[in-house]
Amino acid sequence: MPEILDHARSQVLDGGVGLDEAGVLAVLRLPDEDVPAALQLAHEVRMRWCGPEVEVEGIVSLKTGGCPEDCHFCSQSGLFASPVRSVWLDIPSLVEAAKQTAATGATEFCIVAAVRGPDARLMKQMREGVAAIKAEVDIQVAASLGMLSQEQVDELVDMGVHRYNHNLETCRSYFPNVVTTHSWEERWETLTMVRASGMEVCCGGILGLGETIEQRAEFAAQLSELDPHEVPLNFLNPRPGTPLGDRPVVEARDALRAIAAFRLAMPRTILRYAGGREITLGDLGTRDGLLGGINAVIVGNYLTTLGRPATDDLALLEDLKMPVKALSATL
Ligand code: SF4
């Protein structure tokens, strides 16, 4: 057993204290033959500190495409030649999407908009949309609307939005290579306000943007410092027309190493598979991830690329004897 895994067994599994940056880096550098042991330990950590439940979440895009920002991985930026055009969803469609999501057994419904931050029109849509969902559907509502002002944070709390997603995307030192229209610090500021408001913080990022292994470890350490309730872990799905459209996908082994390392950095967080997992991991990898520290999945369509059908994921969870977290357990 490599020394870092022995160390993680006592500190993380027994003590519930996550690995620091150097520890994460050591896990990311483990040779291939030690990856199964790292995943096994990450799974034990998840079972001990989070339990066997898996949180199932649905996502809907209230406003798609036409974003003024230049995140180099994102096909929703209006600055690249990517095929996603600006589209708004109406309130009845939003409620219908929430109903369909709840019907899968999901407890979380996240409303997403491709914007720098919400304007008055979007906040009005949110107020009406969240109220309509709450009147008709038994599901928790989360939101992802970019950078917020303090007033907007307060308004979302008032609407009853219980969790806010805002990804740091990558570590502080690499961020300027990926986004030039706003800073990592601006994102951090929104996250700080969200946390202080009492909303749950959902914050993760994308691996495979060209960052080094050291920068992956830096990112895990920065996320641990933020201590989010949930961390969505994406692997770059290179979108044609974006500046990162030609980047190679993360190799399955490296993705699994990262899943284990991020779990060992954050023993108590909800660690969620997000976009890009099909191309990086495939069916087998999805199973390996769920047995290696992951404890949340998104059902249905991702924002701009098709995910696996909900039934496949739910069948896999049943097969693995991992119960879907019930709504009552999250209230
Ligand atoms: S990641 Fe968000 S802020 Fe960046 S371009 Fe895409 S939609 Fe806009």
Side-chain angles (χ1 to χ4, degrees):
M1 171 80 64
E3 202 183 315
I4 180 61
L5 294 185
D6 271 341
H7 169 67
R9 181 164 288 279
S10 65
Q11 178 180 312
V12 190
L13 182 62
D14 299 338
V17 176
L19 290 181
D20 64 8
E21 188 171 336
V24 171
L25 185 57
V27 175
L28 292 174
R29 284 188 174 145
L30 283 173
D32 281 359
E33 61 269 25
D34 291 325
V35 172
L39 287 165
Q40 172 60 33
L41 180 59
H43 181 59
E44 286 176 46
V45 165
R46 168 265 173 121
M47 294 301 261
R48 168 110 32 118
W49 295 102
C50 302
E53 293 84 16
V54 173
E55 189 172 274
V56 177
E57 307 169 17
I59 265 192
V60 73
S61 180
L62 179 56
K63 188 240 167 190
T64 307
C67 180
E69 302 305 292
D70 77 341
C71 309
H72 290 11
F73 50 82
C74 182
S75 58
Q76 302 206 59
S77 169
L79 303 177
F80 313 139
S82 29
V84 180
R85 286 204 315 271
S86 182
V87 180
W88 284 81
L89 201 66
D90 57 39
I91 304 290
S93 310
L94 195 63
V95 173
E96 184 51 37
K99 278 186 186 156
Q100 285 181 13
T101 301
T104 68
T107 50
E108 289 281 331
F109 182 65
C110 186
I111 303 172
V112 181
V115 289
R116 175 184 169 89
D119 57 10
R121 175 185 177 192
L122 180 54
M123 289 304 279
K124 182 169 173 285
Q125 291 268 81
M126 281 298 292
R127 187 166 283 284
E128 291 168 14
V130 174
I133 292 168
K134 285 188 174 286
E136 286 192 50
V137 192
D138 203 11
I139 198 158
Q140 306 214 73
V141 179
S144 181
L145 313 171
M147 291 176 283
L148 301 175
S149 66
Q150 184 61 56
E151 294 69 45
Q152 289 168 334
V153 169
D154 298 342
E155 258 189 83
L156 290 172
V157 171
D158 187 55
M159 289 175 207
V161 171
H162 90 118
R163 185 181 294 173
Y164 194 76
N165 164 263
H166 193 48
N167 292 335
L168 286 167
E169 307 299 9
T170 190
C171 65
R172 190 175 186 163
S173 70
Y174 193 64
F175 191 87
N177 297 84
V178 180
V179 184
T180 67
T181 47
H182 60 269
S183 66
W184 192 91
E185 289 75 11
E186 285 176 275
R187 287 190 178 226
W188 184 270
E189 218 173 280
T190 289
L191 289 161
T192 310
M193 285 189 286
V194 168
R195 192 172 46 191
S197 78
M199 274 190 285
E200 290 179 1
V201 174
C202 170
C203 176
I206 308 180
L207 303 186
L209 300 174
E211 75 283 357
T212 62
I213 296 295
E214 289 76 14
Q215 285 170 321
R216 264 179 215 172
E218 178 194 338
F219 185 39
Q222 286 159 345
L223 285 175
S224 309
E225 186 191 334
L226 180 69
D227 193 20
H229 192 84
E230 171 171 3
V231 174
L233 202 54
N234 299 266
F235 301 101
L236 180 69
N237 180 355
R239 305 313 300 152
T242 63
L244 297 180
D246 293 328
R247 275 211 60 80
V249 300
V250 175
E251 281 183 28
R253 254 265 153 225
D254 289 337
L256 292 173
R257 261 188 199 90
I259 288 169
F262 276 60
R263 168 55 73 202
L264 294 175
M266 292 171 279
R268 292 178 185 78
T269 195
I270 297 173
L271 192 57
R272 160 160 62 94
Y273 264 144
R277 74 182 149 121
E278 288 81 11
I279 55 162
T280 291
L281 291 167
D283 282 354
L284 189 65
T286 301
R287 177 182 283 266
D288 286 357
L290 281 163
L291 292 171
I294 293 285
N295 64 336
V297 293
I298 290 190
V299 289
N301 294 353
Y302 299 144
L303 290 178
T304 54
T305 53
L306 268 189
R308 291 148 49 97
T311 43
D312 284 10
D313 278 332
L314 298 175
L316 178 60
L317 295 182
E318 202 176 310
D319 203 29
L320 294 174
K321 308 224 173 342
M322 291 183 185
V324 172
K325 186 156 125 187
L327 194 58
S328 58
T330 65
L331 291 175

